[in-house]
Amino acid sequence: MLGGVTDARLRELLGLLAQGAPAEEFSRPVASARAAGASAAELAALEEATGVALEIHRTLAQHRTREAELTALFDTAGDLAALRDLDSVLRAITHRAKQLLHTDVTYLSLNDEAAGDTFMRVTDGSVSAAFQQLRLGMGEGLGGLVAQTARPYATGDYQRDPRFRHTGPIDSAVGEEDLHAILGVPLRLGARVIGVLFAADRSPREFSPREVALLSSLADHAAIAIDGARLLEETRRALADLGVASRTIQETSDALRRAEEAHDRLTGLVLRGGDLGAVAAAIGALLDGGTLVHDAEGVELARSRTRAQAPPARAVTASRTSGRAVASDGNWVCAVLAGPELLGSVTLTGRPGLDEAGRRLFERAAMVTALLLLLRRSVAQTEDRIRGELLGDLLGPSGDPAGLAERARRLGVDLARPHALFVLHSDTAPRPRLLAAAAHQARERRGLAGVHHDHAVLLAPAPGTGADAAGLAAALGRAVGAPVTVGAARAEGGPAALPAAHAEALRCLTALCALGRAGDGSTLAELGFLGVLLGDRPDLSGYVRAALGPVLDYDARRGSDLIHTLRVYFASGMSQARAKEVLHVHVNTVVQRLDRIGRLLGPDWQSPA
């Protein structure tokens, strides 16, 4: 047995173990025993007990360290699981690694599969901007080797370690950060490496297997957390995209519903017999703006809630080419098309900021306008055909004047009124175009138009006593873009008088063409003496009476002979000197007589007509 002194010192050793005292205090019991004069055997036994106590102390310290590390890992896993965005996860990983390994710097790189390298994503303790922006190719440096091999690597002094492929950018960045000892472990998801977690010191040192295992465990937790955060972020983006898509679908659905309702409203308006004015008003009400409708020639057809203005030709052309409504000077313009054919245009005013839904609604309105214009044209063509057939029957041989008059009344034409009949001709304008222009004039004048004996013919009520052939020729010329010659005749006495009037108008047209008066219009009466000769019943006496009646009457009343003076004057080449020789009078007498004739016949009596 040991002595009492030794027993006391053993109990002291156990007390130190129980207190968790520092290792240097375990030498105190031996020193006290030696000072107390303990024997050599007692000192040897006490030293052996001290060695066992120190071993137990180291084991307990290792267990406490391991327990602290495990606790830190569990805390880290909990912290990472609570984080929701990727940046927060990455910052938490590097910060916890720095706390666990007590290093100067920790950092994390992520692999870029598209670029085939790994790039610095987040750092803790770094001061170098170049280091924080570093990219490492696969196999380059320590980090590139870890990313390529999926194995941990450590070095006590990276700048002197020949095991790694050194590159200028990597060595420069590491030198600028003044790093020596570096430990890198892979961030793995199954067999796939997504990045590298690093711990580094600014002085040379060796990393123990325990530190490698600790950082590897943290990397495993981090990889799962990174993948979770990434999936959560992708889910959030997907949900956000889904929300945007849902709102877009809802907005599109609402826009389609509004467009369909507007289309149904406009189409119903057309089918119920609404005119262009009603459609223009409906378009303006639907889009909260003013509306103008023009035909292909730029003539205004309808207007609502805006002032009159010409359609912008460039915008109409652009809309026709693209098939979409186009913006123009604060307005929107849409070509009205039937296939490739331009029927006209619709202009929306007062809505410069039209959105896509409104634009499509406006384009639908243009389609409805095209439908209405086609319906109008179809009705007009049918009516023109019926009117043309009636005109052909009126000008041809017919034994039923009463039936023809009734047919005309149903079309709004009263043949009991005086009418003018016009025969039309153009050397350059196509006949269909000339006939279309004549039909348009017939609708405006409440008359008839058609083709008879290879000529376009127009029958219209005659205002007053004239026929206005010249005005009609000018209007038709503008419509077809070419000279149009018009021969005209008046017809009074119902349907029976129309064939003769047609023959007279045709003779007048022939005379105009023979006289070189293409593009002009006239009646035979307006052609003067030539018209008398070409008429059905030449009345030369009547023509002379119409031309010289005032002079003849003056001679009859006064017993003068102004007619003889007039004949001599013209026979003398309108020379007063030669006329006075033939008349044997003074020249002043000739002047006085001619002055009297002028007052009787008017100022233009000396003109050739």
Side-chain angles (χ1 to χ4, degrees):
M1 289 188 60
L2 298 174
V5 173
T6 303
D7 290 340
R9 299 295 176 261
L10 288 175
R11 285 194 295 274
E12 186 178 354
L13 285 174
L14 291 174
L16 292 173
L17 283 173
Q19 296 170 9
E24 57 269 17
E25 292 189 14
F26 280 77
S27 61
R28 192 174 60 204
V30 174
S32 299
R34 185 178 289 112
S39 64
E42 289 177 331
L43 290 175
L46 192 56
E47 288 176 351
E48 182 180 357
T50 300
V52 173
L54 287 172
E55 186 66 29
I56 293 171
H57 181 274
R58 283 192 297 272
T59 301
L60 290 175
Q62 290 175 354
H63 283 307
R64 282 194 293 270
T65 301
R66 186 58 179 165
E67 182 181 0
E69 291 173 350
L70 290 174
T71 300
L73 285 175
F74 288 137
D75 292 343
T76 299
D79 291 345
L80 293 178
L83 297 175
R84 290 293 178 265
D85 65 280
L86 184 59
D87 287 340
S88 297
V89 168
L90 297 179
R91 285 195 298 270
I93 289 169
T94 54
H95 183 67
R96 188 57 62 92
K98 186 179 180 183
Q99 287 181 326
L100 288 175
L101 271 73
H102 306 291
T103 54
D104 297 325
V105 181
T106 51
Y107 49 101
L108 184 148
S109 67
L110 293 179
N111 289 3
D112 187 340
E113 295 181 0
D117 61 8
T118 182
F119 63 96
M120 204 69 69
R121 182 66 170 78
V122 64
T123 64
D124 190 341
S126 170
V127 295
S128 167
F131 184 81
Q132 294 166 12
Q133 299 171 8
L134 187 63
R135 298 186 76 98
L136 297 82
M138 291 299 178
E140 294 179 353
L142 185 147
L145 190 60
V146 175
Q148 183 182 58
T149 62
R151 295 173 55 192
Y153 279 89
T155 177
D157 193 346
Y158 173 79
Q159 299 180 38
R160 300 178 184 275
D161 197 329
R163 292 179 299 158
F164 307 107
R165 186 171 16 143
H166 292 262
T167 66
I170 296 176
D171 287 355
S172 175
V174 170
E176 188 174 319
E177 194 65 55
D178 193 25
L179 297 181
H180 291 273
I182 302 175
L183 168 62
V185 297
L187 296 168
R188 284 178 293 199
L189 286 174
R192 183 166 66 96
V193 177
I194 64 171
V196 180
L197 179 60
F198 300 87
D201 271 329
R202 291 192 171 92
S203 58
R205 56 162 287 192
E206 295 298 330
F207 289 97
S208 67
R210 181 187 61 77
E211 290 174 314
V212 175
L214 178 58
L215 192 61
S216 297
S217 297
L218 182 59
D220 291 338
H221 286 298
I224 295 172
I226 290 171
D227 191 52
R230 180 184 58 80
L231 291 175
L232 182 59
E233 194 168 296
E234 290 177 356
T235 302
R236 285 174 176 166
R237 283 199 300 267
L239 289 174
D241 292 343
L242 183 61
V244 171
S246 178
R247 288 192 297 273
T248 302
I249 291 172
Q250 184 62 45
E251 290 171 358
T252 303
S253 176
D254 292 343
L256 287 174
R257 177 180 51 77
R258 290 194 301 271
E260 289 174 0
E261 291 174 354
H263 189 269
D264 292 343
R265 177 179 173 184
L266 292 171
T267 305
L269 184 63
V270 172
L271 296 178
R272 289 193 300 272
D275 58 10
L276 280 173
V279 171
I283 294 172
L286 287 169
L287 294 173
D288 192 25
T291 312
L292 285 150
V293 182
H294 295 88
D295 66 11
E297 305 298 327
V299 177
E300 183 182 299
L301 301 177
R303 174 162 43 100
S304 175
R305 302 168 61 183
T306 187
R307 60 179 178 82
Q309 55 182 293
R314 287 187 179 179
V316 173
T317 301
S319 176
R320 182 182 186 181
T321 303
S322 65
R324 300 293 310 275
V326 298
S328 174
D329 297 329
N331 300 327
W332 284 85
V333 178
C334 191
V336 178
L337 302 172
E341 181 185 0
L342 179 66
L343 301 179
S345 64
V346 182
T347 302
L348 179 68
T349 64
R351 282 296 305 275
L354 197 63
D355 59 15
E356 182 62 23
R359 183 182 183 186
R360 292 192 177 277
L361 178 55
F362 181 45
E363 291 165 353
R364 282 182 175 244
M367 292 173 56
V368 173
T369 304
L371 173 62
L372 181 56
L373 290 178
L374 286 174
L375 287 174
R376 285 183 49 177
R377 186 167 70 178
S378 177
V379 171
Q381 288 174 344
T382 302
E383 185 174 328
D384 291 344
R385 178 177 55 80
I386 295 172
R387 289 174 176 270
E389 291 173 354
L390 173 59
L391 183 58
D393 292 342
L394 287 169
L395 299 181
S398 175
D400 185 17
L404 293 174
E406 177 59 28
R407 286 171 58 189
R409 274 195 297 272
R410 287 199 297 267
L411 294 176
V413 178
D414 183 7
L415 295 178
R417 299 172 54 191
H419 278 69
L421 192 139
F422 305 92
V423 180
L424 320 174
H425 174 75
S426 176
D427 291 325
T428 56
R431 182 187 293 171
R433 189 169 185 180
L434 178 58
L435 184 59
H440 177 72
Q441 288 290 329
R443 286 192 294 271
E444 287 192 346
R445 300 176 181 224
R446 301 185 65 80
L448 304 173
V451 176
H452 189 66
H453 291 177
D454 293 331
H455 281 98
V457 180
L458 170 63
L459 178 68
T465 59
D468 191 24
L472 178 62
L476 292 174
R478 289 192 298 270
V480 301
V484 177
T485 309
V486 178
R490 286 179 63 83
E492 299 183 19
L498 293 178
H502 174 263
E504 182 179 330
L506 186 59
R507 287 195 300 274
C508 182
L509 175 65
T510 303
L512 287 171
C513 293
L515 293 171
R517 292 173 59 179
D520 197 0
S522 179
T523 63
L524 284 179
E526 292 167 345
L527 290 179
F529 186 67
L530 180 60
V532 173
L533 294 179
L534 294 174
D536 283 337
R537 294 176 294 279
D539 182 8
L540 298 182
S541 297
Y543 177 76
V544 171
R545 165 58 60 182
L548 299 176
V551 177
L552 294 172
D553 292 340
Y554 185 87
D555 283 346
R557 290 195 308 269
R558 300 294 183 92
S560 57
D561 196 7
L562 293 180
I563 288 296
H564 178 63
T565 301
L566 190 59
R567 183 182 296 111
V568 170
Y569 174 67
F570 281 116
S572 303
M574 302 176 67
S575 169
Q576 296 176 359
R578 287 197 293 270
K580 66 101 175 174
E581 296 294 338
V582 175
L583 293 171
H584 304 291
V585 297
H586 193 273
V587 68
N588 290 339
T589 303
V590 175
V591 171
Q592 292 171 0
R593 291 178 182 180
L594 294 179
D595 183 61
R596 171 65 64 184
I597 292 171
R599 289 197 297 271
L600 291 171
L601 297 181
D604 60 345
W605 67 275
Q606 298 189 61
S607 66

